[in-house]
Amino acid sequence: MARRYDPERRRRIIDAAIRVVATNGIGGLSHRTVAAEADVPLGSTTYHFASLDELMVAALRRTNEGFGAAVRDSGALADPGADVAEELARLMGEWLAGERTGVELEYELYLAALRRPALRPVAAEWCEGLAEILARRTDPVTARALVALMDGICLQVLLTDTPYEAEYAREMLARIIGALPDGGPATAT
């Protein structure tokens, strides 16, 4: 029997893994549950992803596209006259106001790196990529602090079920940006 060519199968498997984690958490992820969700033979999942860690790395990379892409594509952040703190607070608010399951899923996969070393480089890539974008408007050290603060604010909102406070976020981000060594606002380098 000839193999059916299916160029989208790998992507469908990744998408199915994301849905499985969204529904059942990391603990519910297995080659078998993903194969069933993707409606593919079990052998397809193991062909494309030899281990669950490989599959989780692919899923984490896919979910990381959300907030990072919003920051990268923000026209306001590219504008040297724009208020960086205001724009970041707005973007966080939009992201957190989006589909809650997607935001929680992104963090669940991100935090899975605590127990799964294979995921750590992907989590680090996300932080570094975001910091690289923000360093265009600040400096590398400030950019890293901004990423850490945004991560912390988002985690607090998700874990405590408290509403996102855009003004608080803007104020804290502005404090970090204003704490540059020269005491002035950050400028593009």
Side-chain angles (χ1 to χ4, degrees), residues 98-179:
E99 183 202 355
R100 177 79 179 212
T101 303
V103 175
E104 289 173 354
L105 168 67
E106 190 167 337
Y107 266 102
E108 183 167 1
L109 286 166
Y110 177 67
L111 293 173
L114 293 171
R115 300 258 186 227
R116 294 186 173 264
L119 296 176
R120 290 179 187 161
V122 181
E125 285 171 17
W126 182 85
C127 292
E128 291 163 6
L130 193 53
E132 186 178 300
I133 293 166
L134 297 176
R136 296 176 196 151
R137 291 296 310 276
T138 62
D139 63 81
V141 173
T142 302
R144 285 180 46 216
L146 291 170
V147 171
L149 176 61
M150 289 187 298
D151 244 356
I153 289 172
C154 291
L155 275 172
Q156 285 180 357
V157 167
L158 293 170
L159 294 174
T160 63
D161 256 347
T162 56
Y164 172 69
E165 297 177 40
E167 187 50 39
Y168 167 79
R170 192 206 63 71
E171 174 65 25
M172 294 303 105
L173 292 162
R175 285 183 187 191
I176 290 174
I177 292 167

Side-chain angles (χ1 to χ4, degrees), residues 54-129:
E54 284 181 27
L55 181 55
M56 288 175 61
V57 163
L60 181 55
R61 280 206 168 99
R62 175 75 51 80
T63 61
N64 279 351
E65 295 169 2
F67 185 71
V71 172
R72 184 183 58 248
D73 298 341
S74 168
L77 284 177
D79 176 4
D83 181 335
V84 174
E86 181 71 33
E87 180 63 6
L88 291 175
R90 183 188 70 74
L91 290 169
M92 280 194 310
E94 285 179 2
W95 185 66
L96 288 166
E99 183 202 355
R100 177 79 179 212
T101 303
V103 175
E104 289 173 354
L105 168 67
E106 190 167 337
Y107 266 102
E108 183 167 1
L109 286 166
Y110 177 67
L111 293 173
L114 293 171
R115 300 258 186 227
R116 294 186 173 264
L119 296 176
R120 290 179 187 161
V122 181
E125 285 171 17
W126 182 85
C127 292
E128 291 163 6

Side-chain angles (χ1 to χ4, degrees), residues 13-23 29 34 55 58-60 62-63 105 109:
I13 292 169
I14 295 167
D15 291 343
I18 291 168
R19 288 190 305 273
V20 167
V21 172
T23 304
L29 187 70
V34 171
L55 181 55
L60 181 55
R62 175 75 51 80
T63 61
L105 168 67
L109 286 166

